[in-house]
Amino acid sequence: MALTDEQPAARRPDATPHGHGLRLDRWDPDAEAQVEAWLRSRTDPDFRRWNTPLTLVSDLAGARAVLRRQAADATCEPFRITDAESGTTLGHVGVNMIDHTFRTARVGYWVLPEARGRRVATRALALATDWAFAGLDLHRLELGHALGHDASCRIALTCGYGYEGTLRGAMFEAGRQDAFRDVHLHARLATDPSPDVDRTPLAAPPRSPARD
């Protein structure tokens, strides 16, 4: 079947994903506490070790501008991970690079330092995955992380994102935009089984020639 240049209208479901003790809420660029949490994540050494954002943020104004751009981007669905009871910000999970023609997207996440070690990213990724398949009618979700980021690898595998291989030079080196590093590619299809992340132990990362 031939594809046309006409793209289906992007859909933004109103439902707020929730479960596993979490809620995925929309970021509010006018909420000072949320902007501060976003900025704090961008200056966290562990975040900077594994991520090199295209836009470097060093103050509240920059963080607010990024949040506003995300909210206006029809190819991006950014969520603030919150504690279901207290509403405390725990991190971020996003469904990005949404392509409604091929029904694909990429997912990414981060968790604030004080929320790590509680399976927040695993539970949030599971929520965002189910929401993307059901709410956006997507067929394939991809997840990439820097080679050596074993924590992210375990999260992906536990959430049913099978390891598909290593992409050479597919992301920036930490803190640089003139050098590249390899990426582990994971993916999950809408037809794949949905694991029970509350009961499934964290999976072990695969070994690949690039890591031996």
Side-chain angles (χ1 to χ4, degrees):
M1 181 177 66
L3 296 176
T4 68
D5 291 333
E6 184 177 347
Q7 297 286 337
R11 293 185 294 160
R12 284 182 175 268
D14 293 329
T16 300
H18 60 279
H20 313 294
L22 303 176
R23 280 177 61 91
L24 304 186
D25 293 318
R26 299 293 178 174
W27 288 93
D28 181 358
D30 295 317
E32 199 73 9
Q34 294 185 31
V35 178
E36 289 175 353
W38 182 273
L39 176 61
R40 189 154 57 85
S41 77
R42 286 302 192 266
T43 57
D44 172 57
D46 196 58
F47 174 88
R48 292 198 167 189
R49 177 185 178 190
W50 300 114
N51 301 275
T52 304
L54 293 177
T55 303
L56 298 179
V57 175
S58 59
D59 56 26
L60 290 174
R64 186 174 289 107
V66 170
L67 289 175
R68 290 194 192 284
R69 283 198 299 273
Q70 281 192 163
D73 186 348
T75 69
C76 174
E77 294 283 359
F79 289 106
R80 181 172 63 100
I81 306 171
T82 69
D83 181 273
E85 292 187 5
S86 67
T88 301
T89 300
L90 304 176
H92 165 89
V93 61
V95 183
N96 311 308
M97 300 173 64
I98 300 168
D99 186 325
H100 288 282
T101 298
F102 291 99
R103 295 169 60 195
T104 62
R106 282 216 165 200
V107 293
Y109 46 82
W110 50 259
V111 175
L112 290 168
E114 64 272 19
R116 292 171 189 156
R118 295 159 45 188
R119 302 193 71 170
V120 169
T122 303
R123 291 178 285 139
L125 177 59
L127 285 176
T129 299
D130 290 344
W131 177 88
F133 285 142
L136 297 179
D137 193 30
L138 298 180
H139 172 65
R140 175 180 168 90
L141 293 174
E142 295 184 352
L143 186 159
H145 63 79
L147 199 66
H149 194 349
D150 287 349
S152 194
C153 209
R154 287 191 292 267
I155 291 165
L157 293 168
T158 301
C159 289
Y161 284 76
Y163 169 65
E164 294 192 343
T166 299
L167 305 178
R168 296 180 301 152
M171 72 180 294
F172 289 132
E173 286 281 4
R176 300 179 61 177
Q177 293 187 2
D178 61 348
F180 297 86
R181 55 182 161 174
D182 295 348
V183 169
H184 263 187
L185 174 65
H186 298 256
R188 183 169 149 187
L189 304 182
T191 52
D192 289 339
S194 182
D196 183 349
V197 296
D198 288 326
R199 296 177 181 272
T200 305
L202 285 173
R207 295 184 63 83
S208 66
R211 296 182 55 201
D212 290 341

